[in-house]
Amino acid sequence: MSSQAPHPTLLIPGPIEFDDAVLNSMSHYSESHVSAPFVSLFGETLTMLRKLFQTEDPASQPFIISGSGTLGWDQVAANLAEPGDDVLVLHTGYFADSFADCFETYGVRATQLKAAIGDRPQQDEVEKALKEKKYKLITITHTDTSTGVLSEIEGVAKLVRRVSPETLIVVDGVCSIGCEDLQFDNWGVDCAITASQKAIGCPAGLSIVMASGRAIQSFKNRKTPPATYFASWKNWMPVMQNYEAKKPSYFATPSPQLIHALHTALTQLLSRPLSERFQIHKDNSQKVKKAITDMGLKQLASKPENQANGMTTIYLPEGLTPPEILPTLMKKGVIFAGGLHKEIAAKYLRFGHMGVSVMDPKRDDMDRALKALKEALAEVKKS
Amino acid sequence: MSSQAPHPTLLIPGPIEFDDAVLNSMSHYSESHVSAPFVSLFGETLTMLRKLFQTEDPASQPFIISGSGTLGWDQVAANLAEPGDDVLVLHTGYFADSFADCFETYGVRATQLKAAIGDRPQQDEVEKALKEKKYKLITITHTDTSTGVLSEIEGVAKLVRRVSPETLIVVDGVCSIGCEDLQFDNWGVDCAITASQKAIGCPAGLSIVMASGRAIQSFKNRKTPPATYFASWKNWMPVMQNYEAKKPSYFATPSPQLIHALHTALTQLLSRPLSERFQIHKDNSQKVKKAITDMGLKQLASKPENQANGMTTIYLPEGLTPPEILPTLMKKGVIFAGGLHKEIAAKYLRFGHMGVSVMDPKRDDMDRALKALKEALAEVKKS
């Protein structure tokens, strides 16, 4: 039995449903941010992130900062790029446009390589772009939450290393870390950013970043100081290193309650092999995608190989809009999200299937959601 | 009876002890950040902030952003100043140095007006400084948490308006909002920043800001775009205005759980007149300061008129350092903080007395703390 008050099941691509133990950690009694127990807890949390990101290189540097996934973009733009640098942004939806905006804010020139809606840039296009200009870094959105398109990180990373070895490889993993395989060391990723409230399963409020030794070296070799104060690695790196060494340290006050919740979420997440977790997400995703197809519905992410495993984007039948079906779904106890991609927002739904909703065998979220969707479609068609 | 696990009472100048109802709100079930119930809750929270800051001017604009108090500095430096601008920073401790650092990060020239440790700049010095240069804004730390020095906002604000009417008046109220009187409209304050975890009594993780109509106008008249993405009012202002109008809106994902906790804390805080709340903090502060003096101890904040009401900074007897007494205090169930001001950190303690520890008549935190301090001093002297 859950200790949570009865509520409709939240099946949007984040925030997701949270485990009772994680939510209970949110109400931990007040602690000093420099006390030994809290510093130790923060240090353990950072060390667990290394496992989550699959990095064993001691030069890799994790960061946890109060904020949201968006703050990770500022961290990349202000710490890994310098004003006047060129960066290449692979576009698979809304979030590439915003990441590019963020770079421009810091005087960094962002070139976007766009694909058709529901698709992703092809490797030969990426290769061509990399040969045209010297890029300080390339960004790849692992799963774009607006389209449900999954990028192919391993292949693109290999390509970048071959064609433009000095270009740093940055992954926006906000909607992927914790549900999609990301082998930070093996694939040569230099920086991956995420947030707490998606596949990691901890309430929103934390920006989570992993930087490679190569990224940290590039940061140390900057000609100009970082163009941010709150998100500056110059300010945070010593603090994170001290925490992990279990030494008190201070730059800005972290949120002890959120760190407790993240510690609980990561402990649960790492209690079984990551490969198993990814497979369960994949199996559930396949089940959802098959059910959607059986209902006669199409997905935005058009090809099986570019469909995310943590969410599904569903085109509604011609003429039906999200506001016409979401309330019916809500009455049936499930919350989906409407569209987010500007050009087609009124035409599709987004269904998130990450974390406890697929991992906890005591929950029937997936079956209830698919049943609700089928019934709701029939009802709104009739009316 | 508290629903919290037994723990030593946290009496540092933030985070403070939290009320059970506030902590329980932290474990609220997961909600969409754009759902009607959450948007309505966020809107109410913003409206309550207007009452807390004592502003009735509809042109005033509240902001709540995931982060910490420090993010408020970035908001001021990147939204209210422009590269090349001069700003005047009144220095009453550690936090002025950091605020000045933050300005410099954004290319803003910060001139600090310093006072001796434990004192604050005098009005004739401020007047002289204002006449020497044209300052875009002046910053005043209401209570500097490193020294316990209280600034005199009303008088300085009046002076600025007389001598340099175009200069914006910015108050760092991280350790004052909720326990010291700050009359935003009446005193002509243009921007006040704070954090959730101090006198407001909500766990850390939120940067809270109020900007006057004049500040917003100055922001709109900028010649250059804001030099931050995550902390940009260009990105957040429409979102905050939509929330307060109960319309869903999105820039970056807020933390529903923290907003629930802040809503609960503000509801409790505003359930009685602010004047009563300030008086109770003052009465408790007087009691602490008298007891300290009776123990033969001196304070850093040297004059009665510049002593904060939410905390007390206590010089230890000659030769005794914080690490020698803090563990004894901890054994007696209370946690104080050590020194923070670089030059004298090893010589003093900081005792926070804000929020439920003074407001809740069912708690005996103050008496226990003073008893523990007296006993601990006697014990460490003997050993």
Side-chain angles (χ1 to χ4, degrees), chain A residues 4-7 10 12 14-18 23-24 26-33 66-68 70-71 73-74 94-95 98 101-102 105-106 197 203-205 226-230 250-258, chain B residues 4-7 10 12 14-18 23-24 26-33 66-68 70-71 73-74 94-95 98 101-102 105-106 197 203-205 226-230 250-258:
Chain A
Q4 299 171 45
H7 64 279
L10 190 59
I12 65 174
I16 67 168
E17 284 287 315
F18 303 123
L23 283 180
N24 289 339
M26 287 290 285
S27 25
H28 195 278
Y29 60 75
S30 196
E31 281 177 307
S32 165
H33 50 299
S66 282
S68 77
T70 300
L71 185 66
W73 294 341
D74 286 71
Y94 176 89
F95 291 91
S98 307
D101 261 7
C102 178
T105 300
Y106 289 96
Q197 78 275 10
T228 169
Y229 187 73
F230 183 67
Y250 174 72
F251 164 62
T253 309
S255 182
Q257 283 72 16
L258 275 170
Chain B
Q4 299 171 45
H7 65 279
L10 190 60
I12 65 175
I16 66 168
E17 284 287 314
F18 302 123
L23 284 179
N24 289 339
M26 287 290 285
S27 22
H28 194 279
Y29 61 75
S30 195
E31 279 176 307
S32 165
H33 50 298
S66 282
S68 78
T70 300
L71 185 65
W73 294 342
D74 286 71
Y94 176 88
F95 290 91
S98 306
D101 261 6
C102 177
T105 300
Y106 289 96
Q197 78 275 10
T228 169
Y229 187 73
F230 184 67
Y250 174 72
F251 164 62
T253 308
S255 182
Q257 283 72 16
L258 276 170

Side-chain angles (χ1 to χ4, degrees), chain B residues 178-241:
Chain B
C179 68
E180 303 282 358
D181 195 11
L182 183 86
Q183 302 183 18
F184 196 84
D185 286 358
N186 289 345
W187 299 352
V189 174
D190 289 304
C191 184
I193 67 160
T194 191
S196 44
Q197 78 275 10
K198 304 213 177 192
I200 292 175
C202 166
L206 298 173
S207 164
I208 296 168
V209 172
M210 184 68 71
S212 71
R214 207 168 79 119
I216 295 297
Q217 202 50 53
S218 158
F219 166 72
K220 286 181 178 168
N221 293 340
R222 290 179 66 91
K223 291 180 208 80
T224 57
T228 169
Y229 187 73
F230 184 67
S232 167
W233 290 356
K234 190 159 70 77
N235 293 327
W236 283 113
M237 197 150 59
V239 175
M240 296 296 150
Q241 290 174 346

